[in-house]
Amino acid sequence: MTGSPPAAQAPGLTALPPRTVEFRGARGGQAALTWGQQGIWRSTQWLDDGDPYFNLAWTLPVTGAADLDAVLRAVGRLVERHETLRTAYVREGAGEGTVQRVWREGRITVGVYEAAAKPMTAAKALAAELAATGFDYAAELPVRCAVVCLRGRPRALALALSHLALDGWSLNMVAAEWPRLVAGEDLPVPEWQPLDQAAFERSDPPPGAQALRHWRNGLASAPRSMFDFPEREPEEPRFVRYGMDSPAAAVAAEALAARHGVTTSSVLTVASAALLAAVTGHSTAALQLIVSNRHHLRTGAMAGPAAQDGLCVIDLGSGDLRNGDPGRGDLGAGTFAEALGPGHRRTLATYRNGHYDPSLVLAARDAEAWHRGADIDLDAFFNDVRQGGRWSGLPDVDPGDAGALAALRGRTRTFFVGAYSKVKAKIFFATGPAPSTCEFFVLVDTAFLPGRVAERMLGGLEELLVRAVSADVPLDRIAEVAGLDPVRRPAGWTRIGPDWVSLPETEALLRRVCGTGPAAVVVEPGDDGAARLTGYLVARPGLDTPDAVHAAVMRAAAGRTGVLAPRHYVLCPAPPAGPSGWPDRPRLTEGGGRVPSSAITALGR
C-alpha cells in the first residue's frame, strides 16, 4: 500500500525532493471493525465525501542531532509498529459491512521542506494543510507526513492522521515513542493491536453485557430528546463553536470536587447537564460522554480508536420522572451542590459501561423508540480530553478568598473557534488539554439554539462554578445565574413524563395517518395514574388494530421533534358528534399497539 504524497507547501517553506520510506510490518490481515472503529466510521459516513472533519493535524519535534535518514527510519518504524497506521477500511460486497484491512508492507511518501525560521510554527501550518483534504479510506494510508528542516537539520515532523487511525490517547502514546524511535532505540513490539481487539470483541461469550444493561436503563429514563421543541431558522454556517480560557472556573471546579468528594470531570459534566436542562426546559438531562475505554492493560497499550459514546442520564428534577411525575416541568428545588454526588455516580457508571456492541445498543434504541413513541435523539455530548481528567498546573489561589477568585476571573477570555456546515451533534461540550486553566468549548446546532447561546453558556459555566463555591445555587435558578434564556414552546405543548410534545401537531399527524379522517389526541390518566396520550380514531381497513395504527404513526413521526405517538389507541366504529365526545363512543378495540418486535424480543424486552 502506498501513502499519499503531501499537499502543497505552507508559506515560508521551500520544498525539497520528497523521500519514499518502505515499511514491512510483522503481519497483515483482515477483520471486522472494532467497536471503537465503528463509531468513527459511522460518523465519517454521515459527512460528505472528502470532508476532512475527522482529520487530525499534529506535529512532533525532532531534537538533538538526528539527520534526515534517522528521522525517515523512525517514520518507517512507527508505521511498522502500529498496524492502525497501515490499515485501509474497505466495504465488502453490496452490504453495509466494512472491514479493516492491515497491509503488511508498502511505502509512504514523506515530504521534505526547509524552513526560513521557526520550524515548529511552519510544521504546524504544514500539518494543517496536510489535514485539509479527506482521506480515501479504502486506498490511502491513514497518515500523511513531512519533515521540516532548519539549515538542513530536521526539526519537526508534520502529520495529518485520520481519526480512524489514532485517538487522543494514541497520540500521547506515539508522542512518547517518537524521540526514542528517532534515537534508534529498539522498542518492544506492541502486544495488542486492533486486529486482536476485533477478535476479542467477537469472542464467545462477547463482552459488554453489563454495558448493554446500563444503556437500556438509561434509555428508559432519559428524555427522548433534549431538543423537543420547534426548530428555528438556522444560521449560516449552521454549527458554531465557541471556547473559553478560565483559570477561575478550574480553581472553582477543583474546590467543589474536593468539598463533595467527586472528580472535576463530574463537576463539569453535571454543570453542562444543568445548563442544557435549564435552557431546554427539562428536569432530566441526557448526555453522551466520550468514553476512552483504556482502563484495561491491553487497550491501554493499543494504538487505534477505542472510545465509544456512553449514555449519562442525570436527574435534576423535583419529581420522579421514571414514574411519570415531572414535578413542575422545570429544574427541581435542590441545589447544584446537591446534584454533584448523584451526578458523579452516574458519570462513573457511564465511564465503566462504555464498551459494548454498537449494533445491540442501536437495537436497544430502536426498541425504546417503539415503546416511547418517538425517535430517540441523543445528539448532546460531553468530552473531557484532559490527561487523566485533571489539571496539573493551576494557579495557587484560595477559592475561599472571594477577592482573589474575582481577580482571577479578570484573566478569563472567550473566543470564536469556528463554524461548520455539518456536524453530528446538536450540542457538544468539551474540555481542552491545557493544564493550567479550564479550557472549555461549546458547539451548538443553530437550528435549535442560537449561536450566541454557545458563548453565553461558557460565561454561565464559569459563573455557576464560582458562585457555587461560596453559596448554594438552586437548580431552578440556573438559567438566571448563567444569563441564559430558556426555550419558549408555543401554546399546545405539554409534558408527558420526561418528554415535551405538541398536542396539535400530534393530533394532526394522527389525522394524516387516518387519511384526514376524524381523530383526536387527549391527555388522560393511564392505568398507573400517570398522564398519557390517548389517540381516538375510526377503524378502517389497514388501520383496524392498535398494532397497525402504532406502526403507521411511528413511520409518519420519524424525525419529528414535536410529536409523540399516543401511548394508548382507541378504535371506534364511528366518530362522535363533537370533538369532546370521543371517550364516550363505543369501542371496537383498544391497546398500546406495542407488540414486541423481533428486535425487542432478541433483547429480552
Side-chain angles (χ1 to χ4, degrees):
M1 191 175 193
T2 303
S4 301
Q9 72 182 55
L13 291 173
T14 300
L16 302 176
R19 300 285 291 271
T20 298
V21 174
E22 296 189 355
F23 59 83
R24 182 177 177 83
R27 67 173 179 180
Q30 179 172 301
L33 298 184
T34 68
W35 295 344
Q37 288 171 335
Q38 286 182 42
I40 302 295
W41 179 255
R42 281 196 305 273
S43 296
T44 64
Q45 302 310 292
W46 191 78
L47 299 171
D48 296 329
D49 289 343
D51 192 310
Y53 184 82
F54 282 101
N55 288 0
L56 307 172
W58 200 38
T59 55
L60 291 169
V62 178
T63 57
D67 60 17
L68 180 59
D69 286 340
V71 173
L72 295 174
R73 283 195 298 271
V75 170
R77 291 179 64 204
L78 191 66
V79 175
E80 289 172 347
R81 285 175 54 75
H82 298 299
E83 294 173 0
T84 188
L85 296 178
R86 44 190 170 90
T87 297
Y89 301 89
V90 183
R91 285 191 176 91
E92 290 262 298
E96 60 181 38
T98 299
V99 298
Q100 54 169 318
R101 183 173 295 165
V102 178
W103 296 91
R104 185 178 182 189
E105 58 187 41
R107 60 180 61 88
I108 181 171
T109 300
V110 180
V112 182
Y113 296 87
E114 176 71 22
K118 298 182 177 180
M120 279 300 293
T121 300
K124 289 179 180 178
L126 181 57
E129 191 169 335
L130 292 173
T133 304
F135 284 91
D136 182 342
Y137 299 115
E140 184 182 1
L141 285 177
V143 55
R144 303 170 185 142
C145 61
V147 179
V148 175
C149 303
L150 182 66
R151 293 186 290 276
R153 181 70 67 183
R155 284 292 174 256
L157 182 70
L159 291 156
L161 298 151
S162 166
H163 203 357
L164 276 164
L166 297 180
D167 56 10
W169 185 281
S170 305
L171 291 176
N172 290 327
M173 287 176 50
V174 171
E177 292 179 354
W178 174 247
R180 300 171 67 185
L181 291 172
V182 173
E185 188 173 338
D186 188 16
L187 300 182
V189 177
E191 296 182 0
W192 198 255
Q193 307 262 16
L195 287 179
D196 306 303
Q197 183 69 10
F200 166 68
E201 290 170 350
R202 283 152 185 82
S203 58
D204 186 17
Q210 179 177 316
L212 180 59
R213 287 192 294 271
H214 171 86
W215 266 92
R216 289 167 60 185
N217 291 335
L219 288 167
S221 60
R224 55 103 172 180
S225 174
M226 297 300 296
F227 301 90
D228 44 7
F229 48 83
E231 290 190 41
R232 58 190 297 274
E233 185 66 29
E235 300 166 17
E236 185 60 42
R238 176 169 167 171
F239 299 85
V240 297
R241 193 181 195 219
Y242 284 84
M244 175 179 71
D245 173 359
S246 171
V251 169
E254 288 276 8
L256 291 168
R259 180 184 302 168
H260 298 283
V262 303
T263 64
T264 57
S265 186
S266 293
V267 171
L268 295 174
T269 302
V270 176
S272 300
L275 291 171
L276 179 59
V279 168
T280 60
H282 286 95
S283 301
T284 301
L287 292 172
Q288 290 199 77
L289 311 187
I290 310 303
V291 184
S292 67
N293 285 326
R294 299 292 184 165
H295 52 278
H296 196 283
L297 288 176
R298 293 176 303 194
T299 52
M302 182 187 76
Q308 292 182 258
D309 299 334
L311 180 58
C312 185
V313 181
I314 298 177
D315 187 357
L316 300 158
S318 57
D320 185 354
L321 298 187
R322 294 185 210 175
N323 292 329
D325 173 14
R328 296 191 308 277
D330 56 3
L331 293 182
T335 67
F336 175 69
E338 291 170 343
L340 288 176
H344 173 65
R345 291 190 289 274
R346 292 294 184 91
T347 300
L348 290 184
T350 300
Y351 286 126
R352 285 195 299 265
N353 291 286
H355 186 226
Y356 53 84
D357 184 338
S359 65
L360 293 182
V361 167
L362 288 173
R365 286 182 64 167
D366 289 343
E368 180 61 30
W370 185 264
H371 175 77
R372 186 77 64 90
D375 291 342
I376 303 297
D377 166 26
L378 298 174
D379 284 344
F381 298 87
F382 177 91
N383 189 18
D384 190 349
V385 305
R386 296 173 299 157
Q387 188 70 25
R390 59 179 59 90
W391 296 287
S392 59
L394 294 185
D396 187 14
V397 173
D398 179 5
D401 184 340
L405 201 54
L408 196 60
R409 294 185 72 177
R411 292 164 50 181
T412 299
R413 68 183 185 96
T414 58
F415 48 91
F416 177 71
V417 176
Y420 318 91
S421 60
K422 205 172 186 181
V423 178
K424 187 66 174 73
K426 293 185 175 68
I427 193 163
F428 204 123
F429 302 96
T431 66
S436 58
T437 182
C438 179
E439 200 173 37
F440 204 80
F441 303 92
V442 180
L443 175 145
V444 297
D445 179 352
T446 61
F448 293 91
L449 296 173
R452 64 180 181 275
V453 169
E455 187 173 21
R456 287 182 180 176
M457 278 187 169
L458 295 169
L461 178 85
E462 181 187 69
E463 179 65 27
L464 171 60
L465 297 179
V466 169
R467 190 175 298 197
V469 170
S470 57
D472 286 336
V473 179
L475 289 170
D476 58 6
R477 292 192 57 219
I478 292 283
E480 176 188 344
V481 168
L484 298 169
D485 298 320
V487 167
R488 295 186 180 277
R489 292 174 173 83
W493 286 71
T494 189
R495 283 279 292 270
I496 301 295
D499 302 318
W500 285 95
V501 58
S502 168
L503 294 179
E505 287 185 45
T506 302
E507 186 168 279
L509 181 140
L510 183 60
R511 286 175 177 164
R512 285 198 297 275
V513 166
C514 296
T516 68
V521 174
V522 299
V523 179
E524 295 179 342
D527 296 337
D528 58 359
R532 74 179 184 192
L533 291 186
T534 298
Y536 290 91
L537 67 154
V538 175
R540 66 180 180 83
L543 291 176
D544 51 4
T545 67
D547 299 345
V549 176
H550 185 62
V553 169
M554 289 296 291
R555 287 193 296 270
R560 299 280 298 273
T561 61
V563 298
L564 191 68
R567 190 67 185 86
H568 193 73
Y569 298 95
V570 177
L571 281 70
C572 304
S580 62
W582 281 103
D584 298 325
R585 295 298 296 159
R587 306 181 178 203
L588 293 175
T589 184
E590 60 184 296
R594 287 152 169 84
V595 173
S597 67
S598 57
I600 299 173
T601 302
L603 290 168
R605 297 292 293 270

